[in-house]
Amino acid sequence: MAQAQGFRYVERADGTVVIWHHGRAAATLRGGRAARFLAEVGDDPQPVMARWTGNYRRGNERTARRHPRNQG
């Protein structure tokens, strides 16, 4: 899978973590979810942030676009 790019995160003083993608807030994590995210972020946080926000390619976008249900 290609590396995710364009993500950054900010940890606020109240413990909230905001994940940004290309300048837009993609996710806000609070409490236990924020703590789990911070524990998981390591040397390469880009794929971790992509997974936590659900903003990653699954490989089926082209197939779904051609599906009859999505025509027209």
Side-chain angles (χ1 to χ4, degrees), residues 3 5 7 11 27 36-37 39 42 45 54 57-58 61:
Q3 292 287 5
Q5 296 298 318
F7 287 99
E11 183 179 2
R36 285 195 311 270
F37 170 78
R57 300 226 175 236
R58 294 166 187 84
E61 289 84 7

Side-chain angles (χ1 to χ4, degrees), residues 20-62:
W20 297 84
H21 185 243
H22 293 297
R24 300 176 100 181
T28 302
L29 308 174
R30 295 178 180 89
R33 293 192 70 208
R36 285 195 311 270
F37 170 78
L38 291 172
E40 190 174 331
V41 172
D43 295 334
D44 189 14
Q46 292 291 308
V48 175
M49 288 185 281
R51 189 169 47 78
W52 273 80
T53 60
N55 195 351
Y56 54 91
R57 300 226 175 236
R58 294 166 187 84
N60 64 351
E61 289 84 7
R62 186 171 297 158

